[in-house]
Amino acid sequence: MSNSKITVILPIYNGMPFLKESVESLKQQTFQDFIVLLINNGSTDSTKEFISSINDDRFKYYELEKPNLVKALNFGLQFVDTEFIARMDADDISHPKRFEKQIDFLESNKNIDVVGTQGKYIGCTSNSELNINLPIYHEKIISTMLNNNHSIIHASILFRQSIVKNKHLYDENYFPCEDFELFLRLAKEVIFANLPDRLYFFRVHQYSI
């Protein structure tokens, strides 16, 4: 088991220029006991050059030849040996207290396995913002999903490694809704929650999925 507390899985496809802000938001976390798996997923821009310039041993670089988000996610899960796993997207921003609040919550609520956060949509210039308001408790999160509505921000989640030990991986057949399918599959045995805090900033731009 790693000495670190969290492994962050961060798949990247042509992440520039927003990747710089994403990485910086991780470096600014008040909870610093983490490693980041930067999975370059077939990028053709300057992503690799930027990653090479990161002078921080916690950021680990991996490279896949072809763009495939689901394969990149499952690839990252293979290397996890920390107690907790976090997600992050290459064009988004995490609030500095995101990990601190999520770790505190899961350590205080041993019955809960996955915790997301409230969020905010941001545009390319961060001038246009719109709040993302999601249900807090498991039953409402799942019932909202069953009604085909968004109820958890995939890239905002922090979850226990024990879920992966049970061989729960993403299914390529459901891309680009692989997160939705996984959450519904997990709902039979895993308890979800969302923090009331707005800790994740989800960027919308012309190349967003």
Side-chain angles (χ1 to χ4, degrees):
M1 181 71 71
S2 170
N3 291 327
S4 299
K5 194 76 169 178
I6 302 172
T7 298
V8 185
I9 298 178
L10 201 166
I12 308 160
Y13 174 67
N14 289 345
M16 303 303 287
F18 304 124
L19 180 59
K20 292 180 179 180
E21 288 184 75
S22 298
V23 167
E24 190 60 30
S25 76
L26 293 175
K27 289 183 175 182
Q28 292 178 359
Q29 292 296 305
T30 54
F31 184 91
Q32 287 281 307
D33 189 11
F34 61 81
I35 59 174
V36 183
L37 307 184
L38 297 165
I39 304 170
N40 188 6
N41 190 23
S43 295
T44 57
D45 64 356
S46 58
T47 289
K48 185 174 183 177
E49 288 75 14
F50 168 68
I51 293 174
S52 298
S53 73
I54 299 174
N55 187 24
D56 190 324
D57 291 340
R58 294 174 301 171
F59 289 79
K60 314 296 183 182
Y61 179 71
Y62 299 90
E63 188 167 357
L64 302 181
E65 291 183 2
K66 296 180 180 180
N68 187 312
L69 174 60
V70 181
K71 282 187 176 179
L73 293 172
N74 288 333
F75 177 85
L77 289 174
Q78 297 178 54
F79 292 93
V80 173
D81 63 351
T82 54
E83 184 178 358
F84 298 98
I85 304 170
R87 275 281 289 112
M88 177 82 181
D89 279 341
D91 45 5
D92 298 340
I93 297 171
S94 288
H95 186 282
K97 287 187 174 291
R98 175 193 163 188
F99 291 163
E100 177 187 341
K101 287 178 175 287
Q102 288 180 303
I103 283 287
D104 286 348
F105 179 84
L106 288 183
E107 291 189 333
S108 299
N109 297 273
K110 301 295 186 181
N111 63 314
I112 296 176
D113 305 288
V114 182
V115 62
T117 79
Q118 307 302 313
K120 184 185 289 289
Y121 290 113
I122 58 175
C124 289
T125 61
S126 299
N127 291 329
S128 178
E129 300 182 348
L130 180 67
N131 289 342
I132 306 172
N133 299 312
L134 302 169
I136 301 294
Y137 301 109
H138 176 81
E139 292 78 9
K140 184 63 175 177
I141 289 171
I142 300 306
S143 65
T144 301
M145 284 188 198
L146 290 172
N147 286 318
N148 294 320
N149 290 313
H150 192 57
S151 63
I152 194 163
I153 302 171
H154 179 208
S156 80
I157 62 172
L158 183 80
F159 58 99
R160 302 185 192 277
Q161 187 211 22
S162 57
I163 295 174
V164 180
K165 287 182 179 179
N166 292 332
K167 306 301 182 184
H168 290 301
L169 300 177
Y170 298 92
D171 190 331
E172 288 187 60
N173 294 317
Y174 289 92
F175 178 81
C177 301
E178 73 286 340
D179 54 337
F180 200 92
E181 187 275 335
L182 176 62
F183 294 157
L184 288 177
R185 185 161 24 104
L186 288 172
K188 298 177 181 179
E189 54 189 280
V190 168
I191 303 299
F192 291 83
N194 280 315
L195 296 180
D197 309 88
R198 208 170 302 285
L199 302 175
Y200 197 80
F201 302 91
F202 188 93
R203 194 183 302 275
V204 178
H205 54 86
Q206 61 179 328
Y207 300 112
S208 300
I209 298 177

